[in-house]
Amino acid sequence: MPRRHPGTPRLLRQLNDRAALELLLSKGPLTRAELGEYTGLSKVTSGQLLARLEDRGLVAVSGERPGGRGPNAALYAVVPSSAYVVGLEVLPESVTAGVADITGEIIAEVTVDPEESGEPVKTVHNAVRRVCDSANVSLSRLRALVIGTRGVVDPRTGDVRFSFDLPSWHAGVLDDLRATFGSSVMIENDVNLAALAEHAYGVARGVDDFVLVWAGIGQGLGVMLGSRLHRGFTGGAGEIGWLPVPGEPLPIDVNEPQSGSFQRLVGTAAVTELATTHGLPTIQDVPATQDGSATQDMSAAQDMSAAQGVSDSQGVSAAHGLAASHDVPGAPALSGSHDVPEVPGLPAVPPLAVSHEVPDEVPDLPGTHPPRRAAQSSAELVSAAVAAGQEDFLDELARRLAIGVAAVTVVLDPGLVVLSGDVGRAGGRALAGRIEKAVAEICPSRPRVTVTEVKGNPVLRGAVTAALEQAREEVFSSTVDT
């Protein structure tokens, strides 16, 4: 028979303190009486608890609640500066860091060029130092650091197992980071963090089971079951870019980027070809005559698109799977430009520059005169289709995405599917509603499909959320002396 350990007074005080701090964060400033009502503690016990937390510098009087007879009641709130955390999103071309106080408010955000430092630890240190300087927070006050990155993160070790377009982020980098920043450093897959942000701040608040479909350059999936991220045995849960699709060839080499069947069906090249088929301009025309008059040649633009494919804003990566990873094992690293492998049945794509910004100009095509911008990203194409009311294009894209959603639904039956990623955000409710309808036609389960409601950068927001969980566990569990 297992031994049962009775609740000691110290343990009970710890539990009460933690419950009170969580209530003050979720419900806002509370009076002593209100705190007692929520926790079931007496006014005397609530008063002792608040005094203890005040002594620790965790709560303070933030105002008064007007009452009836007698003096106004003091309102207590968590002190924002009692702890700070940093979250980061690491991409091949940029690293974005945000520092937040213990309440979760992001008070500063910076983006740095990873090429300034050249390797992960120096890059992260550079970003963290800059964001802390911007927030006027010393590095010593940080309680947790969470990094979101494309790649496969081993759930057993927490280390990066492989990253296709971030080759310097390899096994062993976590130990290097912890040697600099301490044991609180955690690395997590980017789309898993987006799902975490959706659960805390988005449309999935209060939902125990849901999936987040990341539609973009690569296709990924974040899975939340029982309010916990499901990463899989090797960190590979969610690699839907490799999902076999009827009518699409199976990959002959899983090390080859963009070769997964579902990726072929809904990736950048496929969306561009679909846009061309439906008459959407896939080249951004730039008026460039000497007198400044506007000149457009949409047919030439479409010809150029069909000839050279598309470069998206974040560069082409492998399928966005492996717990919503962008990465494919064994594929060559990306730098400032990349080669997209030929996909049978689709036009070959020559090297294009990788940039968050649309390149200035591309060379004139034979027989044309106005300089043109590079091909639009798949997200821009979808956004243009929504704005123009291109029903046929959106219907076909939704049918394709519905194949992946239906496959996930018949296995997990999540009830809620959240559409995110660049393409998902661009399509919005117009695309999500079509996917929901298409899934219902091919799947016995009928999940609700909706678009993300997380504001700003969902990966960064998720990294901060994960860091806050760590920091609060540490800070809120140390309120009672041993």
Side-chain angles (χ1 to χ4, degrees):
M1 183 175 181
R3 292 185 61 184
R4 304 293 183 183
H5 297 282
T8 63
R10 178 178 178 274
L11 176 60
L12 293 176
R13 286 196 296 271
Q14 282 183 322
L15 294 174
N16 289 338
D17 289 355
R18 178 66 183 265
L21 288 165
E22 295 288 358
L23 280 169
L24 290 172
L25 285 172
S26 62
K27 301 292 185 181
L30 298 172
T31 66
R32 184 179 63 177
E34 289 169 341
L35 189 61
E37 290 175 6
Y38 281 118
T39 60
L41 300 174
S42 67
K43 288 185 179 181
V44 172
T45 304
S46 295
Q48 293 172 341
L49 180 154
L50 288 169
R52 184 165 59 249
L53 296 180
E54 273 192 289
D55 290 340
R56 294 280 182 176
L58 296 178
V59 303
V61 176
S62 63
E64 294 182 338
R65 179 89 73 201
R69 299 177 180 177
N72 294 337
L75 283 169
Y76 292 87
V78 173
V79 176
S81 60
S82 57
Y84 294 95
V85 301
V86 168
L88 297 96
E89 180 190 32
V90 176
L91 296 172
E93 66 279 2
S94 66
V95 174
T96 301
V99 61
D101 60 37
I102 197 66
T103 69
E105 181 182 357
I106 297 178
I107 55 179
E109 184 177 325
V110 302
T111 299
V112 302
D113 183 353
E115 293 187 2
E116 292 180 8
S117 303
E119 59 93 16
V121 176
K122 291 181 179 178
T123 297
V124 171
H125 188 272
N126 183 30
V128 172
R129 178 181 55 79
R130 290 191 188 182
V131 77
C132 286
D133 287 347
S134 179
N136 197 27
V137 173
S138 66
L139 293 176
S140 62
R141 302 188 70 187
L142 299 181
R143 292 299 189 109
L145 179 68
V146 173
I147 302 166
T149 181
R150 300 172 181 176
V152 185
V153 179
D154 191 326
R156 293 163 294 183
T157 65
D159 208 353
V160 176
R161 190 159 62 87
F162 183 82
S163 182
F164 166 70
D165 47 7
L166 293 167
S168 61
W169 287 76
H170 48 70
V173 72
L174 180 61
D175 287 340
D176 294 340
L177 288 165
R178 286 179 171 173
T180 299
F181 295 100
S183 61
S184 66
V185 178
M186 184 177 82
I187 304 174
E188 181 60 270
N189 173 264
D190 54 356
V191 180
N192 278 346
L193 292 177
L196 198 62
E198 202 70 50
H199 189 247
Y201 299 100
V203 69
R205 281 172 293 185
V207 179
D208 292 335
D209 301 332
F210 75 94
V211 297
L212 181 139
V213 175
W214 187 277
I217 301 167
Q219 317 313 310
L221 189 74
V223 181
M224 188 78 75
L225 299 176
S227 295
R228 295 173 62 89
L229 283 173
H230 177 72
R231 299 174 176 86
F233 180 70
T234 65
E239 192 184 357
I240 60 172
W242 298 97
L243 184 73
V245 175
E248 292 293 327
L250 294 175
I252 58 175
D253 182 1
V254 294
N255 294 324
E256 197 67 32
Q258 302 280 317
S259 64
S261 298
F262 189 58
Q263 177 68 25
R264 292 173 186 259
L265 187 67
V266 297
T268 297
V271 172
T272 303
E273 184 184 47
L274 184 62
T276 302
T277 301
H278 287 277
L280 283 170
T282 54
I283 301 294
Q284 296 178 340
D285 289 317
V286 180
T289 56
Q290 290 183 351
D291 61 0
S293 61
T295 305
Q296 291 187 344
D297 187 349
M298 289 301 181
S299 61
Q302 293 168 2
D303 291 342
M304 181 178 178
S305 172
Q308 74 174 26
V310 67
S311 171
D312 213 330
S313 62
Q314 295 180 349
V316 174
S317 68
H320 194 296
L322 289 176
S325 166
H326 293 274
D327 313 312
V328 178
L334 290 180
S335 57
S337 63
H338 57 272
D339 295 324
V340 182
E342 284 193 33
V343 178
L346 294 180
V349 185
L352 289 176
V354 178
S355 174
H356 273 297
E357 302 296 330
V358 179
D360 288 335
E361 294 182 356
V362 295
D364 287 358
L365 292 175
T368 66
H369 299 289
R372 303 185 184 283
R373 285 190 178 277
Q376 296 188 65
S377 71
S378 47
E380 289 170 329
L381 291 171
V382 173
S383 181
V386 172
Q390 291 278 352
E391 304 287 336
D392 292 343
F393 170 85
L394 293 172
D395 287 344
E396 175 59 26
L397 180 59
R399 280 193 290 269
R400 295 184 181 195
L401 287 167
I403 293 173
V405 174
V408 171
T409 298
V410 295
V411 175
L412 298 179
D413 192 19
L416 175 65
V417 176
V418 181
L419 191 61
S420 189
D422 291 344
V423 169
R425 285 174 173 259
R429 290 185 175 86
L431 184 59
R434 286 173 166 82
I435 294 173
E436 180 176 313
K437 181 179 178 181
V439 170
E441 293 173 354
I442 62 175
C443 177
S445 300
R446 298 189 175 189
R448 179 166 69 99
V449 181
T450 188
V451 70
T452 177
E453 291 184 359
V454 174
K455 306 300 182 183
N457 184 330
V459 177
L460 182 66
R461 181 76 263 185
V464 168
T465 300
L468 284 169
E469 289 181 359
Q470 286 191 65
R472 289 172 181 172
E473 181 65 32
E474 177 187 344
V475 174
F476 293 175
S477 299
S478 58
T479 59
V480 180
D481 293 326
T482 58

mmCIF file with all atom_site columns, all heavy atoms in Angstrom, residues 4 15 62 100 108 124 135 187 207 211 223 272 282 285 306 324 348 378 411 437:
data_model
loop_
_atom_site.group_PDB
_atom_site.id
_atom_site.type_symbol
_atom_site.label_atom_id
_atom_site.label_alt_id
_atom_site.label_comp_id
_atom_site.label_asym_id
_atom_site.label_entity_id
_atom_site.label_seq_id
_atom_site.pdbx_PDB_ins_code
_atom_site.Cartn_x
_atom_site.Cartn_y
_atom_site.Cartn_z
_atom_site.occupancy
_atom_site.B_iso_or_equiv
_atom_site.pdbx_formal_charge
_atom_site.auth_seq_id
_atom_site.auth_comp_id
_atom_site.auth_asym_id
_atom_site.auth_atom_id
_atom_site.pdbx_PDB_model_num
ATOM 1   N N   . ARG A 1 4   ? 0.939   7.674  2.138   1.00 0.00 ? 4   ARG A N   1
ATOM 2   C CA  . ARG A 1 4   ? 0.295   8.950  1.889   1.00 0.00 ? 4   ARG A CA  1
ATOM 3   C C   . ARG A 1 4   ? 0.958   10.011 2.746   1.00 0.00 ? 4   ARG A C   1
ATOM 4   O O   . ARG A 1 4   ? 1.145   9.818  3.947   1.00 0.00 ? 4   ARG A O   1
ATOM 5   C CB  . ARG A 1 4   ? -1.210  8.890  2.223   1.00 0.00 ? 4   ARG A CB  1
ATOM 6   C CG  . ARG A 1 4   ? -1.961  7.792  1.479   1.00 0.00 ? 4   ARG A CG  1
ATOM 7   C CD  . ARG A 1 4   ? -2.027  8.048  -0.007  1.00 0.00 ? 4   ARG A CD  1
ATOM 8   N NE  . ARG A 1 4   ? -2.807  7.015  -0.709  1.00 0.00 ? 4   ARG A NE  1
ATOM 9   C CZ  . ARG A 1 4   ? -2.965  6.975  -2.009  1.00 0.00 ? 4   ARG A CZ  1
ATOM 10  N NH1 . ARG A 1 4   ? -2.382  7.905  -2.758  1.00 0.00 ? 4   ARG A NH1 1
ATOM 11  N NH2 . ARG A 1 4   ? -3.687  6.030  -2.567  1.00 0.00 ? 4   ARG A NH2 1
ATOM 12  N N   . LEU A 1 15  ? 0.595   26.196 -1.630  1.00 0.00 ? 15  LEU A N   1
ATOM 13  C CA  . LEU A 1 15  ? -0.527  25.997 -2.551  1.00 0.00 ? 15  LEU A CA  1
ATOM 14  C C   . LEU A 1 15  ? -1.457  27.197 -2.549  1.00 0.00 ? 15  LEU A C   1
ATOM 15  O O   . LEU A 1 15  ? -1.930  27.638 -3.601  1.00 0.00 ? 15  LEU A O   1
ATOM 16  C CB  . LEU A 1 15  ? -1.292  24.719 -2.178  1.00 0.00 ? 15  LEU A CB  1
ATOM 17  C CG  . LEU A 1 15  ? -0.528  23.396 -2.343  1.00 0.00 ? 15  LEU A CG  1
ATOM 18  C CD1 . LEU A 1 15  ? -1.354  22.242 -1.795  1.00 0.00 ? 15  LEU A CD1 1
ATOM 19  C CD2 . LEU A 1 15  ? -0.186  23.167 -3.809  1.00 0.00 ? 15  LEU A CD2 1
ATOM 20  N N   . SER A 1 62  ? -2.562  48.322 -5.546  1.00 0.00 ? 62  SER A N   1
ATOM 21  C CA  . SER A 1 62  ? -2.601  49.017 -6.837  1.00 0.00 ? 62  SER A CA  1
ATOM 22  C C   . SER A 1 62  ? -3.753  50.014 -6.942  1.00 0.00 ? 62  SER A C   1
ATOM 23  O O   . SER A 1 62  ? -3.905  50.667 -7.969  1.00 0.00 ? 62  SER A O   1
ATOM 24  C CB  . SER A 1 62  ? -2.722  48.004 -7.975  1.00 0.00 ? 62  SER A CB  1
ATOM 25  O OG  . SER A 1 62  ? -3.945  47.283 -7.872  1.00 0.00 ? 62  SER A OG  1
ATOM 26  N N   . ALA A 1 100 ? 9.206   40.132 -21.614 1.00 0.00 ? 100 ALA A N   1
ATOM 27  C CA  . ALA A 1 100 ? 7.913   40.332 -20.968 1.00 0.00 ? 100 ALA A CA  1
ATOM 28  C C   . ALA A 1 100 ? 8.082   40.293 -19.463 1.00 0.00 ? 100 ALA A C   1
ATOM 29  O O   . ALA A 1 100 ? 8.983   39.620 -18.936 1.00 0.00 ? 100 ALA A O   1
ATOM 30  C CB  . ALA A 1 100 ? 6.922   39.249 -21.400 1.00 0.00 ? 100 ALA A CB  1
ATOM 31  N N   . ALA A 1 108 ? 9.150   45.079 -24.692 1.00 0.00 ? 108 ALA A N   1
ATOM 32  C CA  . ALA A 1 108 ? 10.122  45.487 -25.710 1.00 0.00 ? 108 ALA A CA  1
ATOM 33  C C   . ALA A 1 108 ? 10.320  44.335 -26.677 1.00 0.00 ? 108 ALA A C   1
ATOM 34  O O   . ALA A 1 108 ? 10.197  43.156 -26.314 1.00 0.00 ? 108 ALA A O   1
ATOM 35  C CB  . ALA A 1 108 ? 11.457  45.881 -25.082 1.00 0.00 ? 108 ALA A CB  1
ATOM 36  N N   . VAL A 1 124 ? 21.942  34.610 -30.148 1.00 0.00 ? 124 VAL A N   1
ATOM 37  C CA  . VAL A 1 124 ? 20.929  34.721 -29.096 1.00 0.00 ? 124 VAL A CA  1
ATOM 38  C C   . VAL A 1 124 ? 21.355  35.748 -28.054 1.00 0.00 ? 124 VAL A C   1
ATOM 39  O O   . VAL A 1 124 ? 20.548  36.575 -27.608 1.00 0.00 ? 124 VAL A O   1
ATOM 40  C CB  . VAL A 1 124 ? 20.695  33.342 -28.438 1.00 0.00 ? 124 VAL A CB  1
ATOM 41  C CG1 . VAL A 1 124 ? 19.821  33.489 -27.192 1.00 0.00 ? 124 VAL A CG1 1
ATOM 42  C CG2 . VAL A 1 124 ? 20.024  32.399 -29.435 1.00 0.00 ? 124 VAL A CG2 1
ATOM 43  N N   . ALA A 1 135 ? 14.363  47.426 -22.986 1.00 0.00 ? 135 ALA A N   1
ATOM 44  C CA  . ALA A 1 135 ? 13.364  47.389 -21.911 1.00 0.00 ? 135 ALA A CA  1
ATOM 45  C C   . ALA A 1 135 ? 13.911  47.902 -20.591 1.00 0.00 ? 135 ALA A C   1
ATOM 46  O O   . ALA A 1 135 ? 13.170  47.982 -19.603 1.00 0.00 ? 135 ALA A O   1
ATOM 47  C CB  . ALA A 1 135 ? 12.854  45.967 -21.729 1.00 0.00 ? 135 ALA A CB  1
ATOM 48  N N   . ILE A 1 187 ? 14.373  25.133 -25.937 1.00 0.00 ? 187 ILE A N   1
ATOM 49  C CA  . ILE A 1 187 ? 14.159  25.262 -27.378 1.00 0.00 ? 187 ILE A CA  1
ATOM 50  C C   . ILE A 1 187 ? 12.901  24.491 -27.738 1.00 0.00 ? 187 ILE A C   1
ATOM 51  O O   . ILE A 1 187 ? 12.690  23.366 -27.263 1.00 0.00 ? 187 ILE A O   1
ATOM 52  C CB  . ILE A 1 187 ? 15.360  24.718 -28.175 1.00 0.00 ? 187 ILE A CB  1
ATOM 53  C CG1 . ILE A 1 187 ? 16.645  25.419 -27.754 1.00 0.00 ? 187 ILE A CG1 1
ATOM 54  C CG2 . ILE A 1 187 ? 15.139  24.899 -29.676 1.00 0.00 ? 187 ILE A CG2 1
ATOM 55  C CD1 . ILE A 1 187 ? 17.897  24.825 -28.393 1.00 0.00 ? 187 ILE A CD1 1
ATOM 56  N N   . VAL A 1 207 ? -10.037 25.435 -24.714 1.00 0.00 ? 207 VAL A N   1
ATOM 57  C CA  . VAL A 1 207 ? -10.266 24.212 -25.489 1.00 0.00 ? 207 VAL A CA  1
ATOM 58  C C   . VAL A 1 207 ? -9.160  23.219 -25.160 1.00 0.00 ? 207 VAL A C   1
ATOM 59  O O   . VAL A 1 207 ? -7.980  23.509 -25.353 1.00 0.00 ? 207 VAL A O   1
ATOM 60  C CB  . VAL A 1 207 ? -10.290 24.510 -27.003 1.00 0.00 ? 207 VAL A CB  1
ATOM 61  C CG1 . VAL A 1 207 ? -10.502 23.211 -27.792 1.00 0.00 ? 207 VAL A CG1 1
ATOM 62  C CG2 . VAL A 1 207 ? -11.371 25.528 -27.334 1.00 0.00 ? 207 VAL A CG2 1
ATOM 63  N N   . VAL A 1 211 ? -6.183  21.236 -32.983 1.00 0.00 ? 211 VAL A N   1
ATOM 64  C CA  . VAL A 1 211 ? -4.975  21.225 -33.805 1.00 0.00 ? 211 VAL A CA  1
ATOM 65  C C   . VAL A 1 211 ? -4.849  22.573 -34.496 1.00 0.00 ? 211 VAL A C   1
ATOM 66  O O   . VAL A 1 211 ? -5.842  23.216 -34.829 1.00 0.00 ? 211 VAL A O   1
ATOM 67  C CB  . VAL A 1 211 ? -4.969  20.089 -34.853 1.00 0.00 ? 211 VAL A CB  1
ATOM 68  C CG1 . VAL A 1 211 ? -4.985  18.738 -34.170 1.00 0.00 ? 211 VAL A CG1 1
ATOM 69  C CG2 . VAL A 1 211 ? -6.126  20.228 -35.834 1.00 0.00 ? 211 VAL A CG2 1
ATOM 70  N N   . VAL A 1 223 ? -0.287  20.101 -32.273 1.00 0.00 ? 223 VAL A N   1
ATOM 71  C CA  . VAL A 1 223 ? -1.332  19.262 -31.688 1.00 0.00 ? 223 VAL A CA  1
ATOM 72  C C   . VAL A 1 223 ? -1.411  19.508 -30.192 1.00 0.00 ? 223 VAL A C   1
ATOM 73  O O   . VAL A 1 223 ? -0.407  19.379 -29.482 1.00 0.00 ? 223 VAL A O   1
ATOM 74  C CB  . VAL A 1 223 ? -1.060  17.769 -31.962 1.00 0.00 ? 223 VAL A CB  1
ATOM 75  C CG1 . VAL A 1 223 ? -2.165  16.897 -31.359 1.00 0.00 ? 223 VAL A CG1 1
ATOM 76  C CG2 . VAL A 1 223 ? -0.921  17.514 -33.461 1.00 0.00 ? 223 VAL A CG2 1
ATOM 77  N N   . THR A 1 272 ? 1.080   28.939 -56.643 1.00 0.00 ? 272 THR A N   1
ATOM 78  C CA  . THR A 1 272 ? 1.394   29.836 -57.758 1.00 0.00 ? 272 THR A CA  1
ATOM 79  C C   . THR A 1 272 ? 0.811   29.303 -59.060 1.00 0.00 ? 272 THR A C   1
ATOM 80  O O   . THR A 1 272 ? 0.232   30.055 -59.854 1.00 0.00 ? 272 THR A O   1
ATOM 81  C CB  . THR A 1 272 ? 2.915   30.001 -57.896 1.00 0.00 ? 272 THR A CB  1
ATOM 82  O OG1 . THR A 1 272 ? 3.444   30.477 -56.663 1.00 0.00 ? 272 THR A OG1 1
ATOM 83  C CG2 . THR A 1 272 ? 3.253   31.001 -58.992 1.00 0.00 ? 272 THR A CG2 1
ATOM 84  N N   . THR A 1 282 ? 0.587   36.926 -60.935 1.00 0.00 ? 282 THR A N   1
ATOM 85  C CA  . THR A 1 282 ? 1.573   36.413 -59.988 1.00 0.00 ? 282 THR A CA  1
ATOM 86  C C   . THR A 1 282 ? 2.862   37.218 -59.988 1.00 0.00 ? 282 THR A C   1
ATOM 87  O O   . THR A 1 282 ? 3.837   36.826 -59.363 1.00 0.00 ? 282 THR A O   1
ATOM 88  C CB  . THR A 1 282 ? 1.894   34.942 -60.300 1.00 0.00 ? 282 THR A CB  1
ATOM 89  O OG1 . THR A 1 282 ? 2.288   34.834 -61.667 1.00 0.00 ? 282 THR A OG1 1
ATOM 90  C CG2 . THR A 1 282 ? 0.682   34.066 -60.049 1.00 0.00 ? 282 THR A CG2 1
ATOM 91  N N   . ASP A 1 285 ? 3.503   44.284 -60.818 1.00 0.00 ? 285 ASP A N   1
ATOM 92  C CA  . ASP A 1 285 ? 3.955   45.244 -61.810 1.00 0.00 ? 285 ASP A CA  1
ATOM 93  C C   . ASP A 1 285 ? 4.365   46.544 -61.148 1.00 0.00 ? 285 ASP A C   1
ATOM 94  O O   . ASP A 1 285 ? 3.709   47.024 -60.225 1.00 0.00 ? 285 ASP A O   1
ATOM 95  C CB  . ASP A 1 285 ? 2.831   45.541 -62.814 1.00 0.00 ? 285 ASP A CB  1
ATOM 96  C CG  . ASP A 1 285 ? 2.588   44.341 -63.716 1.00 0.00 ? 285 ASP A CG  1
ATOM 97  O OD1 . ASP A 1 285 ? 3.577   43.749 -64.165 1.00 0.00 ? 285 ASP A OD1 1
ATOM 98  O OD2 . ASP A 1 285 ? 1.411   44.003 -63.951 1.00 0.00 ? 285 ASP A OD2 1
ATOM 99  N N   . ALA A 1 306 ? 4.850   31.558 -64.546 1.00 0.00 ? 306 ALA A N   1
ATOM 100 C CA  . ALA A 1 306 ? 4.840   30.155 -64.954 1.00 0.00 ? 306 ALA A CA  1
ATOM 101 C C   . ALA A 1 306 ? 6.241   29.655 -65.235 1.00 0.00 ? 306 ALA A C   1
ATOM 102 O O   . ALA A 1 306 ? 6.559   28.486 -65.027 1.00 0.00 ? 306 ALA A O   1
ATOM 103 C CB  . ALA A 1 306 ? 3.974   29.991 -66.195 1.00 0.00 ? 306 ALA A CB  1
ATOM 104 N N   . ALA A 1 324 ? 5.281   20.201 -36.726 1.00 0.00 ? 324 ALA A N   1
ATOM 105 C CA  . ALA A 1 324 ? 5.139   21.459 -37.446 1.00 0.00 ? 324 ALA A CA  1
ATOM 106 C C   . ALA A 1 324 ? 6.479   22.061 -37.798 1.00 0.00 ? 324 ALA A C   1
ATOM 107 O O   . ALA A 1 324 ? 6.658   23.255 -37.824 1.00 0.00 ? 324 ALA A O   1
ATOM 108 C CB  . ALA A 1 324 ? 4.300   22.440 -36.655 1.00 0.00 ? 324 ALA A CB  1
ATOM 109 N N   . ALA A 1 348 ? 9.919   24.062 -63.304 1.00 0.00 ? 348 ALA A N   1
ATOM 110 C CA  . ALA A 1 348 ? 11.159  24.182 -62.537 1.00 0.00 ? 348 ALA A CA  1
ATOM 111 C C   . ALA A 1 348 ? 11.308  25.584 -62.017 1.00 0.00 ? 348 ALA A C   1
ATOM 112 O O   . ALA A 1 348 ? 10.869  26.545 -62.623 1.00 0.00 ? 348 ALA A O   1
ATOM 113 C CB  . ALA A 1 348 ? 12.348  23.820 -63.416 1.00 0.00 ? 348 ALA A CB  1
ATOM 114 N N   . SER A 1 378 ? 2.976   33.175 -51.840 1.00 0.00 ? 378 SER A N   1
ATOM 115 C CA  . SER A 1 378 ? 1.694   32.475 -51.837 1.00 0.00 ? 378 SER A CA  1
ATOM 116 C C   . SER A 1 378 ? 0.692   33.177 -50.934 1.00 0.00 ? 378 SER A C   1
ATOM 117 O O   . SER A 1 378 ? -0.504  33.213 -51.231 1.00 0.00 ? 378 SER A O   1
ATOM 118 C CB  . SER A 1 378 ? 1.887   31.023 -51.409 1.00 0.00 ? 378 SER A CB  1
ATOM 119 O OG  . SER A 1 378 ? 2.690   30.928 -50.259 1.00 0.00 ? 378 SER A OG  1
ATOM 120 N N   . VAL A 1 411 ? -7.997  10.766 -37.461 1.00 0.00 ? 411 VAL A N   1
ATOM 121 C CA  . VAL A 1 411 ? -7.110  10.135 -36.479 1.00 0.00 ? 411 VAL A CA  1
ATOM 122 C C   . VAL A 1 411 ? -7.304  10.727 -35.088 1.00 0.00 ? 411 VAL A C   1
ATOM 123 O O   . VAL A 1 411 ? -7.416  10.010 -34.098 1.00 0.00 ? 411 VAL A O   1
ATOM 124 C CB  . VAL A 1 411 ? -5.636  10.282 -36.911 1.00 0.00 ? 411 VAL A CB  1
ATOM 125 C CG1 . VAL A 1 411 ? -4.701  9.742  -35.832 1.00 0.00 ? 411 VAL A CG1 1
ATOM 126 C CG2 . VAL A 1 411 ? -5.388  9.567  -38.224 1.00 0.00 ? 411 VAL A CG2 1
ATOM 127 N N   . LYS A 1 437 ? -16.281 23.317 -44.815 1.00 0.00 ? 437 LYS A N   1
ATOM 128 C CA  . LYS A 1 437 ? -17.305 22.712 -45.669 1.00 0.00 ? 437 LYS A CA  1
ATOM 129 C C   . LYS A 1 437 ? -16.738 21.537 -46.454 1.00 0.00 ? 437 LYS A C   1
ATOM 130 O O   . LYS A 1 437 ? -17.373 20.485 -46.569 1.00 0.00 ? 437 LYS A O   1
ATOM 131 C CB  . LYS A 1 437 ? -17.858 23.768 -46.634 1.00 0.00 ? 437 LYS A CB  1
ATOM 132 C CG  . LYS A 1 437 ? -18.949 23.247 -47.557 1.00 0.00 ? 437 LYS A CG  1
ATOM 133 C CD  . LYS A 1 437 ? -19.462 24.353 -48.465 1.00 0.00 ? 437 LYS A CD  1
ATOM 134 C CE  . LYS A 1 437 ? -20.530 23.823 -49.424 1.00 0.00 ? 437 LYS A CE  1
ATOM 135 N NZ  . LYS A 1 437 ? -21.008 24.905 -50.336 1.00 0.00 ? 437 LYS A NZ  1
#
